[in-house]
Each structure stands twice: as C-alpha cells, then as structure tokens.
Amino acid sequence: MMPDTSIRTRLILAFSVMLGLLLIVAVLVLQRFDALTVSMHEFVDHKARLAFLAQRANQHAQDAAIQLLRLLQTPDRERRVPLYATMDTAMAASDAAIGGLERAAAMMGARSDIGRVIELRRHYGELFQETVELIEIEGLPPARVHFETRTDPTLKDLLGETLKLADYQQELMQAEVDQLEREAVNARILVMAISLSAFLAGGLLAVIISRSIVRPLREAVNVAEAIAGGDYLCAVPKGKGREMGALLRALDVMSNSIASREESILKLAYVDTLTGLPNRTRFMEVLARAMQQGPGALIVLDIDRFAPINNALGHQVGDRLLQEIATRLGKTVAGHQLVARLGGDEFAIVLDGADRATATDYAQTLLERLREAMLLDEQRLDIDASLGIVLYPEDGASLIALLRRADLAMTVAKRRHDGFAFGADVADEPPHEQLALIGEMRDALARDEFVVYFQPKMDLATRRIKGAEALLRWRHPERGLVPPGRFIPFAEQTGFIREITPWLLKEVVRHAAHWHRAGLGVVASANISTLDLLNLDFVGHVQQLLLDSGLPPGQLCIEITESALMDEPELALKHLDDLAALGVKLSIDDYGSGQASLAYVKNLPVNELKIDRAFVDQVDRLPKNAAIVRSTILLCRELGLTVVAEGAETPEELHWLTTNDCDVVQGYGIARPMPAEDFVAWVEHFSSSPMPAHTQHRCTPTTCST
Ligand code: C2E
Ligand code: CA
Ligand code: CA
C-alpha cells in the first residue's frame, strides 16, 4: 500500500482522514441536535398554546356561567347591573381565547376537535345571551328553566369537549415526544456508528502506516546489525517509500564501502606491496593453521648474492628482480599452496601434505626454475637461491621453532652451496635449553664465565704465526665449555651482544698489548656483529681501548661478515672507513658463504679476506672447491688483499693451499683454538720447532676446544 509515498505524506494523509471523520461526526451531531431543539421548540410552542387557549376559553366561559347563576338569583335589577359588566368581561376574554384557537386551527388545517369546541362555544354564547334576555324580558323563573335545560347542558358539553381536546393534545404531545426520543436514539446510533468507523479507520490507518514504517525500519536495523557483525555481503532489501528506500540504499552503499575498505586494509596488512604476495603476517597465520590441519613442509628461500646485485644495479632493478622471482615462485606451486615474501630477499612456501620426498622434488624444480637466466633492463642475470626445508610436525611443534629451524637449514644450505638442506639434518639445540641459555647469558658476563680462546693464523710462505683469531667460549658451571654458535646468535637477536663485544674487545686488546710487549708480532683478530658495526659509539670505543692499552692499531684486526654490511650499508661503510682511518686492520669473514662478490669487496677498505671453511674443506680433492679457492686467491692478489683459508684440517689441504699460493691458513691443521694463557707458550714452541713437524698441532686436553 502506498509504495512510493513519503512517510510525511502518509502521516498527513492518515491524520487528515481521521480529522475529516471527526469533523463529519461533529457536524452531524450538531445538525441533529439543532433539528431536535427546533422541533422541540416548535412543538412546545404550538401544543402549549393550543392547550392554553382552550383552557382560557373554558375558564372564562365558566366565570361567565358563574356570574349568570348569580344573575339568576338576583331579583333586584339594580344589583344585576354590575354583574353584567363582570359577565361581559369574562365572555369577551373567552371569545378572545376562542379567536386564538380558531387561528391556530386555521394554521394547522381545519381540525375537527378544535372546530367542535369553537362551535360549542359559539352555541353556548347564543344560549347564554338568550338566558340573559329571558331574565330581563320574562323574569327569572323562565330564564332559570332555560338555563337549566339549554344553557347549562351546553356549557357542560363545552367543558367535556375542551377536556377531550386537552386529553387529545396530551396524547399528541406524548406521540411527539416518543418520535423525538426515537430520533434522538437514531442520532446517537448514527454518532456511535460514525465514531466507531472513525475509530476503526484510524486504527487501520495506524496499523498500515506503522507497518509501512516499522517493517522496513526493522529490516534496516537487521542490515545494520549484520554489517556491524562483519557480514558485508548480506542482502539489503530494496525498501519501499522514499525515506526507507533512501535509508536502505545508504546502508547498501555503506556496507559495500566498508567491505571494500576492509578489503584494502586487509590487503595492506596481509599483502606485500612490492610482489603482491602474502606478507610475513599472513604467512604466519596460514602456517599456524596448516600446522593444525596435518603434516606438510615449510620452505624458507633466500636469494644468493642479492645484496651485491641490488647495490650494483640499483634498487629498481632489485625490486624488479624480486617481482620476477615472486612470479616464478607462484608458477611452481599449485593454487592452494602458499608462497609468501617474508621480507628482503627471503621468501617462504608452505606445502600442505608434503613429505620429504615431495619436498625434495619440489625444491629441485624450484631451483631449476630460479636458475633460468633472467633479463632485466637488457641485463642477463643468473640467480641462485638457498632453501631450508622443514617438515611439520616432526621438525618443530611451534611456529617459531619451525621457522628458526628452517632458517638454520637455509643458512647451512647457503654455506655449503648445496641449494637446499633439511632442518632434520641440521644439529639444533632443544628450545628449552636455548631459552635457559638466553636467560643465563647476562649473569655469565657478571660472573666472568666468558673466556677468550685464540686460534693461530699461519703465514704459509714463512711458516710463521702472523695472527690469532679470538673466539669466545662460555665456561658454563653445568654445561661445560659452550661453543659460540650456541649463544652468539641469541646474543645478537636479543641485543646482548652489545655488552659482550666491549668486554671481548677489552680482553683481546689486553692480550694483544701483552703479546706486543713480548715482541710476539702477532695481530689479534676479533669478530664483531652487525649491531656492533652499526653502533655509533663503536669506533670511539675501539679508539679509546687502543689509546688506553698503547697497542698499535695495526696489531688489531676486526672481522666482519658481509651480512653485517647489508642492513644499513651506508652507516656500516662509514664505520669501516673510520676504523680503517684509525689504522685498524679489517677482514671479510666467511667469504663465499653469503652474497658478497669480489667486485663488491674491492670497494671496501679491507685488508684481508677469509675464505669460508666450506670451500677449504677437501680443497685438494673437490675440483669445484679448488676452482673457487684458486680464483679467489688470484683475485685477492690482484686486489692486494691478504687471503686466509679457514678450516684447513689435513696435511693435504695445507699442502694444496701452500702450492696454490694462499697467504695465510687458519684451521685445526695448524692448531685448534686454545685458551689465551696457553697461546704465548704455544707460539714460542711452534716457532722453535722444525718446520714440517709443526704443520700439525697436537692437541692436549687443555689446549683443545670445540
Ligand atoms: P668464525 O668467525 O668463522 O670462526 C671460525 C670458526 O671455525 C671457529 O668456530 C673455529 O673454532 C672454527 N674452526 C677453525 N678451524 C677449524 C677447522 O679446521 N675445522 C673446523 N671444523 N672448524 C674450525 P667457533 O669458535 O665455534 O666459532 C663459531 C663462530 O662464532 C665464529 O665463526 C664466529 O662467527 C662466532 N664467534 C666466535 N667468537 C665470537 C665473538 O667473540 N664475537 C662474535 N660476534 N662472534 C663470535
Ligand atoms: Ca671469524
Ligand atoms: Ca670465518
């Protein structure tokens, strides 16, 4: 009903109808009562007048008759004179009343009963006159007889007729009253009927209007509640009427815009803007869900040598490279599997339901796809990546443990240049022990539980000990000697390394100064982390230590891994320049395991490059390692860098390195890291021994570690 009428119009219409009905009721009631009043007045006037006139005529006729009786009993003529006067007055009054009656009768149409009264009255008047004349002409007795026989019976007739007329008028009046009563009842019924219909019409209108307003309002409330509950797809009804239609349309628009806004917020929160892949947050959520649903594999992927590419070719090319990699990754997985970008050049893939065999197959395909040459800005790029693979639930119950293990496996794969490694094959500390170690680290420093070991670096040409690398150990009261690999990564993560490094540097400088004073000619190397290199106080701190100890800056070497240069390359480079300006030696550690290229290293103010242990391992037997080490040695020579081979263990490796012109060697093949107290004695012993015998240091329980 009234589908497109506005609420305002509907209300105005409804109230108009109501008021109209009430007006009609009022007018009708007034009219009815007016009519009743008029007819009542008319009736009363007329009937009362008739009755009054009849009674008056009677009354005066009777008065006259009484005078006539007196006259009949008054023989003295003189005394009859005044009686005549009174009698005449009474008869005249009676005549006047009769005249009135006559006129009324004429108005009402000749009424027989009134006519009869008038006729009788006239007849009586004549007889009355005859009686009076008889008194005066023939005397009282004949007059008396005439009165009794003629005049008095007529008077009685007249009185009887008048009474009848009065009775009749009474009856008429009663009938008239009955009629009026009936009319009043009818009027009441009419008024009640109209009031009732007005009431019903009003009620009906109220129901219709409230329905037409309330129902769509309720629908609007339902829609609003659904939207509030996050259901933006709920069907919004069309809505009738202008206002409700507008309200529901507004709700529809609102829910759509909230939905699209939420979608874009979700996108911002969950999508990596560069590659369009899910980001770390989304990845964590999906992995958590996948871990609950059943077994599967998680792969963490890190692009090899991404930083130098980024640095050399610019960030725009770097971004395009990441996008291309994202596309390639997307193509290798089935639709329901997740590929995410964790940040930087790190990606992750979740393979639902995969076991070791399928994960291996997948990893191989993935690497093949990534290794296909890429053309960016007409530059050909060869990309490689390292993958860490873990299987859940067996490799870790928690998300964090799983990710950490995958990261660890990835680092191992990178170090070994193996393409991928499984978390299960990588030694790892049970998580609760790691937590315990993290908690105890702070106390360890206060309780002097950290100790510095030194591992000699031997010059292959002169067979002299040219340097020693300081390697941290934790002499734990219960666990014994804890190697740095088990606590340094956490110290770096928690920032505690910022407290360890100053302590270590102080120790290293103290020992180096002692060696210097003893004329040992050994340069002490210390390892530092990213956080140290980026620390604004670091260079000043080193300078102060050198000043306080009197150690010539050239007797101290600082080893940095290339990853330490990648977080904030500009600040890192500035600190390297400042350190170089102090005269401190700088060394690139673990070369080959990361992303640094020699082209990148040559621009750094470094003196030394340490080839990672992974390449020195079986260098005499593995042509691939031999090729890498040989070319690195040659390039270092060109660039004027001292090259150090790390982790040389066997005489064959040492021999290969000697014949291939490696400058310096550090490894168990010369000596294991040893406590600082043993170092001077060891060097003196080494120098005084005949050469070939010293190529392999024999361990004693006190000098050996790891
Ligand atoms: P790195 O700087 O590469 O140190 C060389 C590691 O190789 C040492 O392990 C050393 O014991 C080991 N190594 C040397 N020769 C051989 C060998 O012939 N065969 C084998 N298998 N291993 C050999 P370590 O002492 O366990 O240190 C591990 C890593 O911990 C170090 O790697 C370094 O990255 C870090 N680290 C050690 N001390 C410190 C420190 O004081 N500060 C910081 N920031 N890191 C440290
Ligand atoms: Ca080192
Ligand atoms: Ca190293």
Side-chain angles (χ1 to χ4, degrees):
M1 188 192 184
M2 304 186 282
D4 285 322
T5 330
S6 72
I7 294 176
R8 186 164 154 264
T9 318
R10 271 183 259 178
L11 286 175
I12 289 174
L13 267 177
F15 280 104
S16 305
V17 170
M18 291 278 291
L19 287 175
L21 283 170
L22 285 175
L23 206 67
I24 291 171
V25 171
V27 167
L28 278 175
V29 167
L30 279 177
Q31 264 183 0
R32 281 280 136 184
F33 281 103
D34 261 357
L36 275 177
T37 317
V38 168
S39 51
M40 184 74 92
H41 275 295
E42 272 176 5
F43 172 79
V44 168
D45 274 2
H46 193 70
K47 302 297 169 195
R49 197 169 157 70
L50 277 181
F52 172 73
L53 287 172
Q55 267 174 355
R56 239 178 110 90
N58 249 358
Q59 185 71 46
H60 292 300
Q62 267 182 310
D63 285 352
I66 290 163
Q67 299 306 322
L68 189 61
L69 274 176
R70 274 202 202 138
L71 206 68
L72 288 172
Q73 279 148 21
T74 313
D76 185 359
R77 205 181 156 155
E78 291 303 311
R79 286 181 55 203
R80 285 207 298 264
V81 175
L83 289 175
Y84 278 125
T86 333
M87 216 168 58
D88 283 347
T89 320
M91 277 311 271
S94 179
D95 281 345
I98 286 295
L101 258 184
E102 266 178 330
R103 280 194 298 282
M107 267 168 61
M108 294 166 69
R111 294 271 304 261
S112 60
D113 46 358
I114 298 177
R116 258 178 72 76
V117 170
I118 294 168
E119 191 47 49
L120 273 172
R121 170 62 187 75
R122 193 171 298 125
H123 185 51
Y124 168 70
E126 285 161 8
L127 293 174
F128 188 89
Q129 198 55 43
E130 282 170 19
T131 311
V132 171
E133 281 167 8
L134 278 174
I135 292 170
E136 293 305 319
I137 299 162
E138 298 183 24
L140 289 176
R144 222 173 264 146
V145 172
H146 182 268
F147 180 79
E148 277 163 14
T149 56
R150 301 279 307 276
T151 313
D152 192 42
T154 308
L155 177 65
K156 287 201 175 97
D157 277 357
L158 175 65
L159 288 177
E161 276 306 314
T162 315
L163 269 178
K164 268 204 314 205
L165 177 67
D167 278 354
Y168 179 65
Q169 290 302 331
Q170 193 75 34
E171 274 172 29
L172 273 186
M173 211 150 43
Q174 189 58 50
E176 203 65 46
V177 165
D178 286 351
Q179 174 66 25
L180 280 176
E181 252 178 20
R182 271 198 300 280
E183 277 179 27
V185 167
N186 284 345
R188 195 178 303 142
I189 288 172
L190 184 68
V191 166
M192 272 165 58
I194 294 175
S195 306
L196 192 71
S197 50
F199 181 76
L200 286 177
L204 195 69
L205 277 174
V207 169
I208 289 168
I209 291 199
S210 67
R211 268 173 141 220
S212 73
I213 296 169
V214 168
R215 189 185 289 168
L217 261 182
R218 200 179 300 134
E219 282 172 350
V221 168
N222 288 344
V223 170
E225 279 173 354
I227 294 171
D231 175 13
Y232 308 120
L233 296 176
C234 70
V236 180
K238 277 277 159 284
K240 293 170 184 161
R242 214 185 310 147
E243 296 90 341
M244 292 322 297
L247 174 63
L248 287 165
R249 273 195 302 281
L251 279 175
D252 196 26
V253 171
M254 186 178 97
S255 78
N256 286 338
S257 65
I258 292 180
S260 72
R261 228 169 293 163
E262 195 178 79
E263 197 183 292
S264 53
I265 290 172
L266 274 182
K267 224 176 163 179
L268 279 180
Y270 281 135
V271 175
D272 170 56
T273 41
L274 179 67
T275 59
L277 289 180
N279 63 9
R280 178 180 282 270
T281 314
R282 178 87 190 116
F283 159 77
M284 296 294 256
E285 282 184 15
V286 172
L287 180 59
R289 215 174 308 134
M291 284 173 78
Q292 281 173 357
Q293 278 164 3
L298 160 69
I299 301 180
V300 168
L301 179 153
D302 195 277
I303 309 299
D304 292 348
R305 304 159 43 75
F306 177 73
I309 293 173
N310 211 18
N311 287 335
L313 302 180
H315 288 265
Q316 275 181 333
V317 177
D319 285 353
R320 300 245 313 278
L321 174 62
L322 290 174
Q323 287 165 343
E324 174 62 24
I325 287 165
T327 314
R328 289 188 181 189
L329 289 182
K331 284 182 188 158
T332 58
V333 294
H336 61 285
Q337 311 285 35
L338 179 87
V339 179
R341 181 176 172 219
L342 300 185
D345 58 345
E346 206 176 55
F347 294 83
I349 298 128
V350 179
L351 298 176
D352 262 343
D355 57 11
R356 194 173 167 116
T358 40
T360 309
D361 283 351
Y362 174 76
Q364 275 158 354
T365 324
L366 181 64
L367 286 169
E368 272 167 33
R369 281 307 279 275
L370 285 178
R371 284 167 185 159
E372 284 165 19
M374 220 177 259
L375 263 183
L376 288 181
D377 279 351
E378 293 176 3
Q379 292 208 48
R380 193 194 138 103
L381 283 177
D382 290 302
I383 293 299
D384 208 345
S386 303
L387 274 53
I389 310 172
V390 285
L391 300 174
Y392 50 84
E394 51 266 50
D395 288 340
S398 78
L399 209 88
I400 302 298
L402 205 63
L403 252 182
R404 209 176 39 72
R405 215 185 175 103
D407 267 333
L408 196 73
M410 187 270 288
T411 322
V412 170
K414 198 166 278 244
R415 179 178 280 248
R416 291 184 192 152
H417 296 267
D418 270 357
F420 62 88
F422 274 91
D425 305 338
V426 173
D428 195 16
E429 197 85 15
H432 60 275
E433 279 188 39
Q434 284 169 3
L435 281 178
L437 278 179
I438 294 171
E440 290 168 38
M441 239 168 1
R442 202 166 292 273
D443 293 339
L445 193 63
R447 288 198 211 122
D448 250 349
E449 286 172 13
F450 289 124
V451 285
V452 183
Y453 273 45
F454 283 98
Q455 187 178 32
K457 285 168 157 177
M458 187 192 77
D459 186 305
L460 276 171
T462 60
R463 300 253 150 193
R464 286 183 53 84
I465 302 304
K466 280 187 68 178
E469 179 179 6
L471 294 162
L472 195 60
R473 301 286 180 267
W474 179 354
R475 202 171 273 147
H476 193 280
E478 285 134 36
R479 295 171 207 267
L481 214 53
V482 183
R486 281 171 60 189
F487 62 92
I488 292 280
F490 304 116
E492 286 171 341
Q493 274 168 28
T494 57
F496 188 59
I497 194 76
R498 282 211 203 88
E499 289 174 53
I500 296 181
T501 305
W503 174 87
L504 173 105
L505 280 173
K506 204 174 159 198
E507 282 295 289
V508 172
V509 167
R510 186 169 67 85
H511 287 293
H514 170 61
W515 302 339
H516 177 63
R517 284 193 295 275
L520 215 57
V522 170
V523 175
S525 292
N527 294 285
I528 64 162
S529 304
T530 314
L531 280 178
D532 301 317
L533 188 60
L534 298 179
N535 186 348
L536 297 178
D537 302 330
F538 182 69
V539 180
H541 180 72
V542 172
Q543 188 176 20
Q544 194 59 49
L545 279 176
L546 291 171
L547 280 176
D548 292 350
S549 64
L551 180 72
Q555 293 297 106
L556 178 68
C557 176
I558 286 175
E559 296 190 6
I560 316 120
T561 58
E562 16 156 333
S563 63
L565 301 168
M566 296 311 169
D567 280 2
E568 277 184 61
E570 276 156 34
L571 186 63
L573 201 64
K574 179 175 182 306
H575 287 175
L576 284 192
D577 283 335
D578 292 350
L579 285 170
L582 282 183
V584 171
K585 294 234 155 63
L586 296 172
S587 172
I588 291 292
D589 206 356
D590 301 343
Y591 178 77
S593 70
Q595 298 147 359
S597 65
L598 268 179
Y600 176 60
V601 170
K602 86 173 179 212
N603 295 319
L604 300 172
V606 295
N607 315 82
E608 181 185 272
L609 190 128
K610 297 178 82 175
I611 304 176
D612 192 69
R613 211 166 72 215
F615 306 103
V616 178
D617 183 35
Q618 304 184 57
V619 70
D620 54 308
R621 285 199 276 160
L622 299 177
K624 198 177 158 197
N625 279 6
I628 292 169
V629 176
R630 199 178 290 123
S631 63
T632 310
I633 292 169
L634 284 173
L635 281 165
C636 282
R637 179 121 313 135
E638 297 246 317
L639 295 171
L641 294 175
T642 305
V643 63
V644 181
E646 276 194 310
E649 293 185 357
T650 63
E652 292 79 14
E653 286 163 7
L654 284 171
H655 183 254
W656 190 95
L657 290 166
T658 312
T659 50
N660 281 279
D661 285 339
C662 181
D663 296 322
V664 179
V665 71
Q666 174 187 349
Y668 295 173
I670 305 299
R672 290 185 174 239
M674 62 192 81
E677 309 86 272
D678 300 344
F679 185 70
V680 178
W682 182 87
V683 173
E684 280 164 358
H685 181 246
F686 181 85
S687 307
S688 61
S689 304
M691 280 200 175
H694 293 125
T695 49
Q696 211 151 351
H697 170 69
R698 301 211 183 284
C699 298
T700 66
T702 50
T703 60
C704 289
S705 70
T706 48

